[in-house]
Amino acid sequence: MSSFEFDLHTHTIASGHASTATITDMAKAAQNLGLQLLGISDHGPATMHGAKPSYFRSLAYAPKERLGVKILYGAEVNILDNTGSLDLDNAILKGLDFVIASLHKPVKKPGSIAENTHAYIEAMKNPYVKIIGHCDDTKFPVDYLALVQAAMEHHVLLELNDSSLRPNGYRGDTRFNDLMLLNLCKHFKYPILLSSDSHGPKYVGNFDHAMEMVRLAEFPKELILNYSIERLTNI
C-alpha cells in the first residue's frame, strides 16, 4: 500500500495516445495502491489527439467517487505562446476541479530562457491554473528562481514529474533541473507536488524516480503535498 494519499496528474484514453484506459480503470489502479484521491488531467485540444472541449464540459456530470476513490476532474492545458494563452477557454476551466498548464512540442516552439519563463509566469496569472506541469523539460529551459518566486506569488504549485525521470522519458536528462527546483523550493519552504504523469494505469501513484531526487536534495517530507490531502486543500 502506498504511503501517499493522491496523484493528480494522470491521463486516460481521452488524451488519445499511449493509453486505452477509462477513468474507472485509473480508479481501480488507485484503489489497488490505497490512494484516497485521483486526479484525471487529460490533454487539452492543441496537443496531438488531445481531448475536445466538449469532453471537459461533460466532466461536471461525472461521478465524484469511483471504487471508493475520490476523483478530481481537471485538464492538462497547453500553453500556446509567450503570453501564456491556453488552449481551453476560462468558461470551461472554471468548471474543472483543477488545471495543470504545460509546455509541449510541437504546440509551442521552445524559446529562450527568458521567453519560456515568461510563458510559464503569464500562464500562472490565469486564476484557474493551479499547477505548472513538468517544468523540468530540457527543451524549454527556464530561470528556476524566477519560476519559484512567481509560483509563490500566484499560489501555483510546481510539480516534480516522475515520468521526466524514467529511463524512457523524452524530456532529456532532467535531473539537474529537478534538483534546482527542489533546492529552491526547500530554500523558500514552498511545497512541491509529486506527479506520476501516468498515461494509463501502469504508473498511477508511482513516484519512485521523483523520490530519488527528493532524497538526493534532502528535501523535507513536510513540503511534499502528496502525503496529505488536507494539506493540498489548504494551499
Side-chain angles (χ1 to χ4, degrees):
M1 301 292 282
S2 175
S3 59
F4 300 107
E5 293 191 354
F6 65 88
D7 183 6
L8 290 184
H9 190 161
T10 71
H11 298 272
T12 74
I13 191 173
S15 286
H17 68 106
S19 172
T20 59
T22 65
I23 295 173
T24 299
D25 292 332
M26 304 295 279
K28 184 175 182 179
Q31 179 197 47
N32 289 340
L33 282 173
L35 296 180
Q36 299 175 37
L37 175 68
L38 176 68
I40 302 296
S41 53
D42 285 305
H43 286 294
T47 308
M48 188 185 308
H49 307 305
K52 296 182 183 298
S54 58
Y55 165 76
F56 296 101
R57 291 191 190 96
S58 71
L59 293 175
Y61 307 100
K64 299 299 184 184
E65 184 176 306
R66 296 175 191 242
L67 304 176
V69 178
K70 183 179 179 182
I71 308 293
L72 294 182
Y73 297 100
E76 184 182 11
V77 297
N78 293 281
I79 301 172
L80 300 175
D81 52 41
N82 292 334
T83 69
S85 298
L86 307 175
D87 63 341
L88 286 175
D89 294 337
N90 281 0
I92 294 176
L93 299 183
K94 71 179 182 181
L96 299 175
D97 293 319
F98 68 102
V99 176
I100 302 171
S102 303
L103 288 172
H104 291 109
K105 286 181 65 180
V107 174
K108 184 189 180 302
K109 182 180 178 180
S112 66
I113 290 175
E115 288 170 335
N116 297 331
T117 304
H118 186 71
Y120 277 130
I121 292 174
E122 289 302 302
M124 289 181 194
K125 295 177 182 179
N126 184 297
Y128 302 110
V129 170
K130 301 302 180 186
I131 302 164
I132 293 295
H134 48 73
C135 58
D136 57 359
D137 194 330
T138 60
K139 297 184 293 296
F140 293 96
V142 297
D143 178 340
Y144 283 99
L145 176 58
L147 198 69
V148 171
Q149 290 177 323
M152 295 170 64
E153 178 183 353
H154 298 290
H155 305 288
V156 172
L157 298 174
L158 301 171
E159 69 169 19
L160 184 62
N161 189 295
D162 196 80
S163 74
S164 295
L165 291 157
R166 293 177 202 139
N168 59 348
Y170 60 88
R171 299 183 185 116
D173 186 349
T174 66
R175 290 174 296 178
F176 180 80
N177 292 344
D178 289 318
L179 287 174
M180 285 276 290
L181 178 64
L182 287 170
N183 282 315
L184 283 164
C185 287
K186 179 171 69 171
H187 173 77
F188 289 110
K189 296 181 174 58
Y190 196 66
I192 200 85
L193 180 72
L194 305 183
S195 295
S196 72
D197 200 357
S198 186
H199 287 65
K202 183 177 181 180
Y203 293 109
V204 168
N206 187 328
F207 309 127
D208 291 350
H209 296 89
M211 287 302 293
E212 288 180 17
M213 292 296 102
V214 164
R215 287 186 284 270
L216 192 58
E218 298 181 343
F219 193 78
K221 181 178 180 179
E222 60 269 21
L223 291 179
I224 300 174
L225 290 174
N226 304 69
Y227 289 112
S228 172
I229 294 172
E230 183 180 359
R231 288 208 60 208
L232 174 70
T233 56
N234 288 333
I235 292 297

